[in-house]
Short mmCIF file of all heavy atoms in Angstrom, two decimals:
data_model
loop_
_atom_site.label_atom_id
_atom_site.label_comp_id
_atom_site.label_asym_id
_atom_site.label_seq_id
_atom_site.Cartn_x
_atom_site.Cartn_y
_atom_site.Cartn_z
N LEU A 324 100.80 97.14 84.81
CA LEU A 324 101.16 97.70 86.11
C LEU A 324 101.64 96.58 87.02
O LEU A 324 100.89 95.66 87.33
CB LEU A 324 99.96 98.42 86.74
CG LEU A 324 100.19 99.03 88.13
CD1 LEU A 324 101.25 100.13 88.06
CD2 LEU A 324 98.88 99.60 88.69
N VAL A 325 102.89 96.66 87.44
CA VAL A 325 103.50 95.66 88.32
C VAL A 325 103.75 96.31 89.68
O VAL A 325 104.40 97.37 89.76
CB VAL A 325 104.81 95.11 87.73
CG1 VAL A 325 105.46 94.13 88.71
CG2 VAL A 325 104.54 94.41 86.41
N TRP A 326 103.24 95.68 90.74
CA TRP A 326 103.31 96.24 92.09
C TRP A 326 104.34 95.47 92.91
O TRP A 326 104.21 94.28 93.12
CB TRP A 326 101.94 96.16 92.75
CG TRP A 326 101.81 96.96 94.00
CD1 TRP A 326 102.09 96.55 95.28
CD2 TRP A 326 101.36 98.32 94.11
NE1 TRP A 326 101.85 97.57 96.17
CE2 TRP A 326 101.40 98.67 95.48
CE3 TRP A 326 100.94 99.27 93.18
CZ2 TRP A 326 101.02 99.93 95.94
CZ3 TRP A 326 100.56 100.53 93.64
CH2 TRP A 326 100.61 100.85 95.00
N SER A 327 105.37 96.18 93.38
CA SER A 327 106.45 95.54 94.13
C SER A 327 106.94 96.49 95.22
O SER A 327 108.03 97.06 95.12
CB SER A 327 107.59 95.15 93.19
OG SER A 327 108.65 94.57 93.91
N THR A 328 106.13 96.64 96.27
CA THR A 328 106.44 97.63 97.31
C THR A 328 106.74 97.00 98.67
O THR A 328 106.58 97.63 99.70
CB THR A 328 105.26 98.60 97.48
OG1 THR A 328 104.08 97.85 97.82
CG2 THR A 328 105.01 99.38 96.20
N GLY A 329 107.17 95.76 98.68
CA GLY A 329 107.45 95.11 99.96
C GLY A 329 106.30 94.22 100.40
O GLY A 329 105.29 94.08 99.71
N VAL A 330 106.47 93.61 101.58
CA VAL A 330 105.49 92.64 102.07
C VAL A 330 105.07 92.98 103.49
O VAL A 330 105.74 93.73 104.20
CB VAL A 330 106.06 91.21 102.03
CG1 VAL A 330 106.37 90.79 100.61
CG2 VAL A 330 107.33 91.09 102.89
N GLY A 331 103.94 92.39 103.89
CA GLY A 331 103.43 92.53 105.24
C GLY A 331 102.72 91.26 105.66
O GLY A 331 102.59 90.31 104.88
N PRO A 332 102.26 91.20 106.91
CA PRO A 332 101.61 89.98 107.41
C PRO A 332 100.36 89.64 106.60
O PRO A 332 99.60 90.52 106.19
CB PRO A 332 101.24 90.34 108.86
CG PRO A 332 102.12 91.50 109.21
CD PRO A 332 102.35 92.25 107.94
N SER A 333 100.16 88.35 106.38
CA SER A 333 98.98 87.88 105.66
C SER A 333 97.77 87.85 106.60
O SER A 333 97.93 87.89 107.83
CB SER A 333 99.23 86.47 105.12
OG SER A 333 99.37 85.55 106.20
N PRO A 334 96.55 87.79 106.07
CA PRO A 334 95.37 87.68 106.93
C PRO A 334 95.43 86.47 107.87
O PRO A 334 94.96 86.54 109.01
CB PRO A 334 94.22 87.56 105.93
CG PRO A 334 94.70 88.25 104.70
CD PRO A 334 96.17 87.97 104.65
N PHE A 335 96.01 85.35 107.41
CA PHE A 335 96.14 84.17 108.26
C PHE A 335 97.02 84.47 109.46
O PHE A 335 96.67 84.14 110.60
CB PHE A 335 96.71 83.01 107.46
CG PHE A 335 97.14 81.84 108.30
CD1 PHE A 335 96.20 81.07 108.99
CD2 PHE A 335 98.49 81.51 108.43
CE1 PHE A 335 96.60 80.00 109.78
CE2 PHE A 335 98.89 80.44 109.22
CZ PHE A 335 97.94 79.69 109.90
N VAL A 336 98.16 85.12 109.24
CA VAL A 336 99.05 85.46 110.35
C VAL A 336 98.37 86.43 111.31
O VAL A 336 98.46 86.29 112.54
CB VAL A 336 100.37 86.04 109.81
CG1 VAL A 336 101.20 86.66 110.93
CG2 VAL A 336 101.18 84.96 109.09
N LYS A 337 97.66 87.40 110.77
CA LYS A 337 96.95 88.36 111.62
C LYS A 337 95.88 87.69 112.47
O LYS A 337 95.59 88.13 113.58
CB LYS A 337 96.31 89.45 110.76
CG LYS A 337 97.30 90.36 110.05
CD LYS A 337 96.57 91.35 109.17
CE LYS A 337 97.55 92.24 108.40
NZ LYS A 337 96.84 93.18 107.49
N SER A 338 95.30 86.60 111.96
CA SER A 338 94.20 85.94 112.67
C SER A 338 94.67 85.07 113.83
O SER A 338 93.86 84.67 114.67
CB SER A 338 93.40 85.07 111.70
OG SER A 338 94.14 83.91 111.30
N LEU A 339 95.96 84.76 113.89
CA LEU A 339 96.47 83.87 114.94
C LEU A 339 96.59 84.60 116.26
O LEU A 339 97.12 85.71 116.33
CB LEU A 339 97.83 83.29 114.52
CG LEU A 339 97.84 82.43 113.26
CD1 LEU A 339 99.26 82.02 112.91
CD2 LEU A 339 96.97 81.19 113.44
N TYR A 340 96.14 83.95 117.33
CA TYR A 340 96.18 84.57 118.65
C TYR A 340 97.51 84.27 119.34
O TYR A 340 97.57 83.76 120.44
CB TYR A 340 95.01 84.08 119.50
CG TYR A 340 93.68 84.57 119.00
CD1 TYR A 340 92.83 83.73 118.26
CD2 TYR A 340 93.26 85.87 119.23
CE1 TYR A 340 91.61 84.18 117.78
CE2 TYR A 340 92.04 86.33 118.76
CZ TYR A 340 91.22 85.48 118.03
OH TYR A 340 90.02 85.94 117.56
N PHE A 341 98.60 84.61 118.66
CA PHE A 341 99.93 84.48 119.21
C PHE A 341 100.50 85.87 119.42
O PHE A 341 100.10 86.82 118.74
CB PHE A 341 100.85 83.69 118.26
CG PHE A 341 100.45 82.26 118.06
CD1 PHE A 341 100.55 81.66 116.81
CD2 PHE A 341 99.98 81.48 119.12
CE1 PHE A 341 100.19 80.34 116.61
CE2 PHE A 341 99.62 80.16 118.93
CZ PHE A 341 99.72 79.59 117.68
N PRO A 342 101.45 86.01 120.34
CA PRO A 342 102.11 87.32 120.49
C PRO A 342 102.73 87.75 119.17
O PRO A 342 103.24 86.93 118.40
CB PRO A 342 103.18 87.06 121.56
CG PRO A 342 102.72 85.84 122.29
CD PRO A 342 101.98 85.01 121.29
N LYS A 343 102.69 89.04 118.89
CA LYS A 343 103.22 89.56 117.64
C LYS A 343 104.48 90.40 117.88
O LYS A 343 104.63 91.05 118.92
CB LYS A 343 102.16 90.41 116.94
CG LYS A 343 100.88 89.66 116.56
CD LYS A 343 101.13 88.57 115.55
CE LYS A 343 99.86 88.05 114.89
NZ LYS A 343 98.90 87.46 115.82
N SER A 344 105.36 90.36 116.90
CA SER A 344 106.54 91.21 116.93
C SER A 344 106.18 92.57 116.34
O SER A 344 105.11 92.73 115.76
CB SER A 344 107.66 90.56 116.12
OG SER A 344 107.33 90.60 114.73
N PRO A 345 107.05 93.56 116.47
CA PRO A 345 106.78 94.84 115.81
C PRO A 345 106.56 94.64 114.31
O PRO A 345 107.33 93.96 113.64
CB PRO A 345 108.07 95.64 116.08
CG PRO A 345 108.61 95.07 117.35
CD PRO A 345 108.26 93.61 117.32
N GLY A 346 105.49 95.22 113.79
CA GLY A 346 105.15 95.03 112.39
C GLY A 346 104.08 93.99 112.16
O GLY A 346 103.62 93.81 111.04
N GLY A 347 103.67 93.27 113.22
CA GLY A 347 102.55 92.34 113.11
C GLY A 347 102.91 90.92 112.76
O GLY A 347 102.03 90.09 112.54
N ARG A 348 104.21 90.59 112.71
CA ARG A 348 104.59 89.21 112.46
C ARG A 348 104.41 88.36 113.72
O ARG A 348 104.27 88.89 114.82
CB ARG A 348 106.05 89.12 112.02
CG ARG A 348 106.40 89.90 110.76
CD ARG A 348 107.86 89.64 110.41
NE ARG A 348 108.33 90.44 109.29
CZ ARG A 348 109.54 90.32 108.76
NH1 ARG A 348 110.40 89.44 109.27
NH2 ARG A 348 109.91 91.07 107.74
N ILE A 349 104.44 87.02 113.54
CA ILE A 349 104.36 86.12 114.69
C ILE A 349 105.62 86.29 115.53
O ILE A 349 106.73 86.19 115.02
CB ILE A 349 104.22 84.66 114.23
CG1 ILE A 349 102.96 84.48 113.37
CG2 ILE A 349 104.17 83.71 115.42
CD1 ILE A 349 102.88 83.13 112.70
N GLY A 350 105.45 86.52 116.81
CA GLY A 350 106.59 86.76 117.68
C GLY A 350 107.28 85.47 118.09
O GLY A 350 106.62 84.51 118.51
N VAL A 351 108.60 85.42 117.98
CA VAL A 351 109.38 84.25 118.36
C VAL A 351 110.49 84.66 119.30
O VAL A 351 110.88 85.83 119.38
CB VAL A 351 109.98 83.53 117.11
CG1 VAL A 351 108.88 83.00 116.22
CG2 VAL A 351 110.91 84.47 116.34
N ASP A 352 111.03 83.64 120.02
CA ASP A 352 112.15 83.89 120.91
C ASP A 352 113.47 83.62 120.20
O ASP A 352 113.51 83.47 118.98
CB ASP A 352 112.01 83.06 122.20
CG ASP A 352 112.08 81.55 121.95
OD1 ASP A 352 112.44 81.14 120.82
OD2 ASP A 352 111.78 80.78 122.88
N ASP A 353 114.55 83.52 120.96
CA ASP A 353 115.87 83.36 120.36
C ASP A 353 116.04 82.03 119.63
O ASP A 353 116.96 81.88 118.81
CB ASP A 353 116.95 83.47 121.44
CG ASP A 353 117.06 84.87 122.01
OD1 ASP A 353 116.74 85.82 121.27
OD2 ASP A 353 117.46 85.03 123.17
N TRP A 354 115.19 81.05 119.93
CA TRP A 354 115.28 79.73 119.29
C TRP A 354 114.17 79.52 118.27
O TRP A 354 113.88 78.41 117.88
CB TRP A 354 115.24 78.63 120.35
CG TRP A 354 116.47 78.61 121.22
CD1 TRP A 354 117.63 77.92 121.01
CD2 TRP A 354 116.65 79.35 122.43
NE1 TRP A 354 118.53 78.18 122.01
CE2 TRP A 354 117.96 79.05 122.90
CE3 TRP A 354 115.86 80.22 123.17
CZ2 TRP A 354 118.48 79.59 124.08
CZ3 TRP A 354 116.38 80.79 124.33
CH2 TRP A 354 117.67 80.48 124.77
N LEU A 355 113.52 80.62 117.87
CA LEU A 355 112.47 80.63 116.84
C LEU A 355 111.21 79.91 117.30
O LEU A 355 110.40 79.49 116.49
CB LEU A 355 112.98 80.02 115.52
CG LEU A 355 114.28 80.63 114.97
CD1 LEU A 355 114.67 79.96 113.65
CD2 LEU A 355 114.13 82.13 114.77
N ARG A 356 111.06 79.78 118.63
CA ARG A 356 109.84 79.20 119.19
C ARG A 356 108.82 80.30 119.46
O ARG A 356 109.18 81.45 119.70
CB ARG A 356 110.14 78.48 120.51
CG ARG A 356 111.14 77.35 120.44
CD ARG A 356 111.46 76.82 121.84
NE ARG A 356 112.00 77.87 122.70
CZ ARG A 356 112.38 77.69 123.96
NH1 ARG A 356 112.24 76.51 124.53
NH2 ARG A 356 112.88 78.70 124.66
N ILE A 357 107.54 79.92 119.44
CA ILE A 357 106.51 80.82 119.93
C ILE A 357 106.38 80.54 121.43
O ILE A 357 105.89 79.48 121.83
CB ILE A 357 105.17 80.58 119.21
CG1 ILE A 357 105.34 80.82 117.70
CG2 ILE A 357 104.07 81.48 119.77
CD1 ILE A 357 104.12 80.52 116.88
N PRO A 358 106.85 81.42 122.27
CA PRO A 358 107.01 81.09 123.69
C PRO A 358 105.71 80.87 124.46
O PRO A 358 105.73 80.25 125.52
CB PRO A 358 107.78 82.29 124.25
CG PRO A 358 107.51 83.40 123.30
CD PRO A 358 107.33 82.77 121.96
N SER A 359 104.60 81.32 123.92
CA SER A 359 103.34 81.20 124.66
C SER A 359 102.70 79.82 124.52
O SER A 359 101.74 79.52 125.22
CB SER A 359 102.35 82.27 124.18
OG SER A 359 102.09 82.12 122.79
N VAL A 360 103.22 78.97 123.61
CA VAL A 360 102.65 77.64 123.40
C VAL A 360 103.77 76.62 123.28
O VAL A 360 104.93 76.97 123.05
CB VAL A 360 101.76 77.60 122.12
CG1 VAL A 360 100.53 78.47 122.29
CG2 VAL A 360 102.57 78.04 120.90
N GLN A 361 103.41 75.36 123.43
CA GLN A 361 104.38 74.28 123.31
C GLN A 361 104.48 73.78 121.87
O GLN A 361 103.48 73.70 121.15
CB GLN A 361 103.98 73.11 124.21
CG GLN A 361 104.25 73.33 125.69
CD GLN A 361 105.74 73.28 126.00
OE1 GLN A 361 106.47 72.42 125.52
NE2 GLN A 361 106.19 74.21 126.81
N ASP A 362 105.70 73.45 121.45
CA ASP A 362 105.94 72.70 120.21
C ASP A 362 105.59 73.45 118.94
O ASP A 362 105.38 72.83 117.89
CB ASP A 362 105.16 71.37 120.23
CG ASP A 362 105.55 70.49 121.40
OD1 ASP A 362 106.74 70.43 121.73
OD2 ASP A 362 104.64 69.85 121.98
N VAL A 363 105.54 74.76 118.98
CA VAL A 363 105.22 75.56 117.78
C VAL A 363 106.36 76.53 117.51
O VAL A 363 106.80 77.26 118.40
CB VAL A 363 103.90 76.33 117.94
CG1 VAL A 363 103.55 77.05 116.64
CG2 VAL A 363 102.77 75.39 118.33
N PHE A 364 106.82 76.54 116.25
CA PHE A 364 107.90 77.42 115.81
C PHE A 364 107.39 78.26 114.63
O PHE A 364 106.44 77.88 113.95
CB PHE A 364 109.11 76.60 115.36
CG PHE A 364 109.66 75.65 116.39
CD1 PHE A 364 109.05 74.41 116.59
CD2 PHE A 364 110.76 75.97 117.15
CE1 PHE A 364 109.54 73.52 117.53
CE2 PHE A 364 111.26 75.09 118.09
CZ PHE A 364 110.65 73.86 118.29
N ALA A 365 108.04 79.37 114.37
CA ALA A 365 107.70 80.21 113.21
C ALA A 365 108.99 80.72 112.58
O ALA A 365 109.90 81.17 113.30
CB ALA A 365 106.81 81.38 113.61
N ILE A 366 109.08 80.63 111.27
CA ILE A 366 110.28 81.05 110.54
C ILE A 366 109.88 81.75 109.25
O ILE A 366 108.75 81.63 108.78
CB ILE A 366 111.21 79.85 110.21
CG1 ILE A 366 110.44 78.75 109.46
CG2 ILE A 366 111.84 79.30 111.47
CD1 ILE A 366 111.31 77.57 109.02
N GLY A 367 110.82 82.49 108.70
CA GLY A 367 110.58 83.16 107.42
C GLY A 367 109.90 84.50 107.59
O GLY A 367 109.91 85.12 108.66
N ASP A 368 109.27 84.97 106.51
CA ASP A 368 108.67 86.30 106.48
C ASP A 368 107.50 86.47 107.42
O ASP A 368 107.10 87.60 107.71
CB ASP A 368 108.20 86.63 105.05
CG ASP A 368 109.35 86.72 104.06
OD1 ASP A 368 110.51 86.71 104.50
OD2 ASP A 368 109.08 86.80 102.85
N CYS A 369 106.92 85.37 107.90
CA CYS A 369 105.77 85.48 108.80
C CYS A 369 106.19 85.68 110.25
O CYS A 369 105.34 85.88 111.12
CB CYS A 369 104.87 84.24 108.69
SG CYS A 369 105.60 82.74 109.37
N SER A 370 107.48 85.61 110.56
CA SER A 370 107.94 85.65 111.95
C SER A 370 108.87 86.82 112.20
O SER A 370 109.49 87.37 111.27
CB SER A 370 108.67 84.34 112.30
OG SER A 370 109.90 84.26 111.60
N GLY A 371 108.97 87.19 113.45
CA GLY A 371 109.89 88.26 113.87
C GLY A 371 110.19 88.12 115.34
O GLY A 371 109.37 87.58 116.11
N PHE A 372 111.34 88.59 115.76
CA PHE A 372 111.71 88.48 117.17
C PHE A 372 110.80 89.35 118.03
O PHE A 372 110.48 90.50 117.67
CB PHE A 372 113.16 88.91 117.38
CG PHE A 372 114.16 87.92 116.86
CD1 PHE A 372 115.04 88.26 115.84
CD2 PHE A 372 114.24 86.64 117.40
CE1 PHE A 372 115.97 87.36 115.36
CE2 PHE A 372 115.16 85.73 116.92
CZ PHE A 372 116.03 86.08 115.91
N LEU A 373 110.40 88.82 119.18
CA LEU A 373 109.65 89.60 120.16
C LEU A 373 110.54 90.70 120.73
O LEU A 373 111.77 90.57 120.78
CB LEU A 373 109.17 88.69 121.29
CG LEU A 373 108.06 87.69 120.92
CD1 LEU A 373 107.92 86.63 122.01
CD2 LEU A 373 106.73 88.41 120.71
N GLU A 374 109.91 91.77 121.17
CA GLU A 374 110.67 92.89 121.73
C GLU A 374 111.49 92.47 122.95
O GLU A 374 112.56 93.02 123.21
CB GLU A 374 109.72 94.03 122.10
CG GLU A 374 109.17 94.79 120.91
CD GLU A 374 108.36 95.99 121.32
OE1 GLU A 374 107.23 95.78 121.82
OE2 GLU A 374 108.86 97.12 121.17
N THR A 375 111.00 91.48 123.67
CA THR A 375 111.71 91.04 124.89
C THR A 375 113.06 90.41 124.58
O THR A 375 113.92 90.32 125.46
CB THR A 375 110.85 90.02 125.65
OG1 THR A 375 110.47 88.95 124.77
CG2 THR A 375 109.60 90.67 126.20
N THR A 376 113.29 89.98 123.33
CA THR A 376 114.59 89.39 122.98
C THR A 376 115.65 90.46 122.78
O THR A 376 116.85 90.16 122.80
CB THR A 376 114.48 88.56 121.68
OG1 THR A 376 114.15 89.43 120.58
CG2 THR A 376 113.41 87.48 121.82
#
Side-chain angles (χ1 to χ4, degrees):
L324 179 63
V325 177
W326 193 271
S327 178
T328 59
V330 297
S333 66
F335 168 68
V336 169
K337 293 177 182 178
S338 71
L339 298 176
Y340 292 102
F341 295 141
K343 299 296 195 299
S344 70
R348 301 184 186 184
I349 301 171
V351 297
D352 64 11
D353 292 332
W354 292 270
L355 307 181
R356 301 174 301 181
I357 300 176
S359 59
V360 294
Q361 284 288 316
D362 301 321
V363 185
F364 304 81
I366 54 177
D368 295 351
C369 70
S370 69
F372 287 118
L373 290 166
E374 287 186 287
T375 54
T376 64

